[in-house]
Amino acid sequence: MSCNILAGGSVRKYRHYVTEGWKQVLPMRSKRENLDRLARLLAGFDLVGLQEADAGSLRSGFLNQTEYLAEGAGFAYWSHQPNRKIAQFAASSNGLLTRFKPAEVRDYALPSRIPGRGAMWTRFDLDGEELIVVVVHLSLGPQARTRQLNFIADLIWASPHVVLMGDFNCALDSAEMVQLLRRTRLTPAHEVPPTFPSWRPRRAIDHILVSEKMEIEKLYTLPHAVSDHLPLAAEIRLPAPLRLPANH
């Protein structure tokens, strides 16, 4: 599953970005309640990628939200990648929750005129085979996204088993995404549901992509319209000889 959680905040209409923007920088009790509801949804998944999770600042009550969700949903392992810190007010990060132990985790800063976008790269050893999982949050501008997706393509093109997921801020038919798919072995699902805005989804800008040897059997959104993005979930068939640990 992949989800931009807006640091636990709530948006139900476009005007709320302005009229209720002050709530995004204060530690509201409703944010903790939103995280608790989300944790109950996460409990049924093996891997969860997070974007815009707060790493511990004023707006979250100095709570590491990735760690909080991992504990609430019963995940044994979690990692986070702080990307953008604004004094003590906000500390945005990518996050990964997993039920099986990573062999290696790397943090990469993505190229951008304004720093603060990242890719979190994680390697799992599955019976001698590697599974690479990358969680990303891309920029709003197409030129920046093109540079970032080229960077990601260089990072993963040689890996035979990859899951790339996150908030891409663009559709599959955008020029930068078409170029990514050409340069890598990644394939999307046959139908990609819209995830943004969560209260009336029209744009499919959150994605879960897998290597060509893997198969997305089902791709769907979850009814958690709290953030401005709906969570995107996938059921993925792993090819032999990839197998998840029996005790995960």
Side-chain angles (χ1 to χ4, degrees):
M1 188 181 114
S2 178
C3 186
N4 182 324
I5 67 170
L6 197 64
S10 300
V11 176
R12 299 300 178 96
K13 296 179 180 179
Y14 279 116
R15 67 172 180 265
H16 288 172
Y17 287 113
V18 177
T19 60
E20 298 185 6
W22 60 274
K23 293 182 179 180
Q24 304 303 324
V25 298
L26 294 178
M28 311 291 293
R29 185 176 67 178
S30 60
K31 293 181 180 180
R32 188 75 64 98
E33 295 170 348
N34 290 340
L35 293 176
D36 290 339
R37 288 197 293 272
L38 180 59
R40 290 193 286 271
L41 286 179
L42 303 184
F45 293 87
D46 294 312
L47 285 166
V48 176
L50 303 173
Q51 305 88 48
E52 288 199 41
D54 197 84
S57 67
L58 175 64
R59 66 175 176 175
S60 65
F62 300 97
L63 177 74
N64 186 316
Q65 294 179 335
T66 301
E67 179 181 18
Y68 185 81
L69 287 170
E71 293 178 352
F75 282 86
Y77 306 98
W78 64 274
S79 303
H80 78 142
Q81 178 196 30
N83 294 312
R84 180 176 295 167
K85 185 174 183 180
I86 303 174
Q88 298 298 315
F89 296 103
S92 292
S93 69
N94 292 327
L96 181 70
L97 317 180
T98 171
R99 301 201 181 280
F100 39 100
K101 186 176 181 179
E104 183 181 5
V105 180
R106 301 179 193 170
D107 294 342
Y108 292 95
L110 292 175
S112 179
R113 184 174 58 86
I114 301 175
R117 302 290 180 173
M120 188 165 61
W121 180 99
T122 305
R123 175 173 60 86
F124 297 91
D125 287 337
L126 305 180
D127 290 336
E129 295 288 330
E130 291 185 350
L131 173 65
I132 305 299
V133 176
V134 184
V135 179
V136 300
H137 188 189
L138 304 186
S139 293
L140 296 174
Q143 292 184 345
R145 288 197 301 268
T146 298
R147 293 194 300 270
Q148 291 162 2
L149 289 172
N150 282 334
F151 180 95
I152 292 166
D154 291 339
L155 193 64
I156 64 174
W157 71 269
S159 301
H161 306 114
V162 177
V163 176
L164 174 63
M165 60 179 167
D167 177 0
F168 288 67
N169 273 313
C170 62
L172 276 176
D173 61 358
S174 65
E176 57 270 34
M177 288 293 286
V178 170
Q179 181 173 314
L180 172 74
L181 298 179
R182 285 175 179 168
R183 290 195 57 200
T184 65
R185 303 173 184 177
L186 295 174
T187 58
H190 295 299
E191 296 185 9
V192 181
T195 56
F196 182 87
S198 58
W199 57 91
R200 189 177 295 174
R202 295 177 179 176
R203 301 179 61 202
I205 60 175
D206 297 271
H207 302 290
I208 298 175
L209 308 173
V210 300
S211 297
E212 59 187 358
K213 294 182 179 180
M214 304 164 69
E215 180 183 357
I216 297 178
E217 296 187 328
K218 185 179 180 182
L219 186 69
Y220 57 99
T221 57
L222 293 171
H224 185 70
V226 173
S227 167
D228 52 354
H229 292 244
L230 288 177
L232 182 67
E235 296 177 9
I236 299 172
R237 179 182 294 275
L238 300 179
L242 284 185
R243 292 289 183 271
L244 297 183
N247 62 347
H248 82 278

